[in-house]
Amino acid sequence: MRGKTHLILGSLSSLELAMLYNIPIGPVGLASVLFCSIVADLDESNSNVMNNIIRKDTTKKIHTLLSYFLAIVLFYYSQKVGKNFYLALGISVIVVTLTTKKFTAGKLRNIFIFIFFFILSLNFYLFDFNLGLVFISSLLSLFPFLKHRKLTHSLIMLLIVYGLVHLVEVQTGIRHLAILSTIAYSSHLVLDLTTKMGIPLFYPFSSKNYSLFPLRVGSLFCNMVENILIVIMAIIFSLSLISIGPRFK
């Protein structure tokens, strides 16, 4: 499913369940719901989530600049050593070509995400911040290097999310944070279950992908289904808000 679909349906489903079971949602809870609805796709460098954090154009420009810089440095040192212009030029072209094939703009984006969450977790630790946030940010720093739709799209990750957010909940005193975050994260898995690719629910014990419907993400039909689901969920939420809202605290 597309990123915006995960965000909208994940948020609406979490808010709907919160109303049904009279679970209050504060600003922190809402932020956690929004984040957990889409965070599973940090394992894909070309996902909408990654593109919204770091735009493709930005990473491509940085990647190009680094390639040029590497070529200049290699040319300079090759010529210093070999004293031959053509040999230095040939070495520079070959090395830069091989390097850029392995070190792509997508991998550069992954590195940026890793550095961001690693520094965040380090600061949380050094300033004696919430221990749960230290673990969560450390885990998120690894997401970009995980295989797409593997560990991040498994049932065991749901348990990890619940456990870590519960630790945050206990230390901060913010009630219901773990259950709201887990509902939002599970909505992501349910939506991806409807795609043709499916998800490996029992990873790492089994790599078998499970799929409920053969929807191909990005296709006209899939986009239409996503829009219909958003409209239906919005109507259900609106009706619930009218009937339950006055009693919702």
Side-chain angles (χ1 to χ4, degrees), residues 22-226:
N22 199 28
I23 300 174
I25 299 181
V28 176
L30 182 58
S32 182
V33 164
L34 293 171
F35 183 71
C36 288
S37 297
I38 57 175
V39 71
D41 281 341
L42 277 181
D43 64 357
E44 172 55 52
S45 61
N46 289 319
S47 66
N48 290 331
V49 178
M50 290 288 260
N51 292 333
N52 286 325
I53 296 174
I54 303 176
R55 293 182 61 84
K56 277 185 178 181
D57 293 342
T58 303
T59 46
K60 282 182 179 178
K61 288 175 182 177
I62 295 172
H63 183 257
T64 302
L65 288 173
L66 287 174
S67 299
Y68 286 147
F69 178 74
L70 177 62
I72 293 169
V73 171
L74 279 172
F75 175 76
Y76 173 77
Y77 281 105
S78 297
Q79 194 176 28
K80 276 285 186 181
V81 174
K83 303 292 184 180
N84 187 305
F85 174 82
Y86 295 106
L87 178 61
L89 181 63
I91 293 172
S92 301
V93 170
I94 292 171
V95 173
V96 170
T97 302
L98 293 174
T99 303
T100 51
K101 281 185 177 180
K102 295 292 183 182
F103 185 68
T104 61
K107 288 184 179 179
L108 182 63
R109 191 181 293 119
N110 290 344
I111 291 172
F112 282 151
I113 297 297
F114 165 76
I115 292 172
F116 172 78
F117 282 111
F118 178 77
I119 292 175
L120 191 64
S121 61
L122 190 61
N123 278 279
F124 284 153
Y125 176 76
L126 292 176
F127 290 98
D128 294 324
F129 217 71
N130 189 288
L131 189 61
L133 290 176
V134 175
F135 288 136
I136 290 172
S137 53
S138 298
L139 177 64
L140 291 176
S141 69
L142 301 177
F143 268 32
F145 299 106
L146 299 176
K147 290 183 178 180
H148 183 44
R149 289 202 183 187
K150 290 299 181 183
L151 182 61
T152 59
H153 289 67
S154 65
L155 292 176
I156 197 169
M157 184 54 71
L158 280 180
L159 297 176
I160 294 172
V161 168
Y162 180 84
L164 293 180
V165 180
H166 181 68
L167 183 58
V168 174
E169 181 182 311
V170 170
Q171 293 186 340
T172 59
I174 303 174
R175 298 181 61 196
H176 310 297
L177 194 60
I179 188 64
L180 289 171
S181 301
T182 307
I183 290 170
Y185 200 101
S186 62
S187 72
H188 189 111
L189 303 191
V190 171
L191 288 172
D192 280 349
L193 263 176
T194 65
T195 63
K196 186 176 182 179
M197 180 179 178
I199 59 173
L201 286 172
F202 302 106
Y203 189 87
F205 307 106
S206 172
S207 295
K208 179 183 177 181
N209 279 20
Y210 293 87
S211 173
L212 297 176
F213 302 103
L215 294 176
R216 186 166 56 86
V217 180
S219 67
L220 180 63
F221 181 70
C222 184
N223 292 344
M224 184 176 67
V225 170
E226 290 180 32

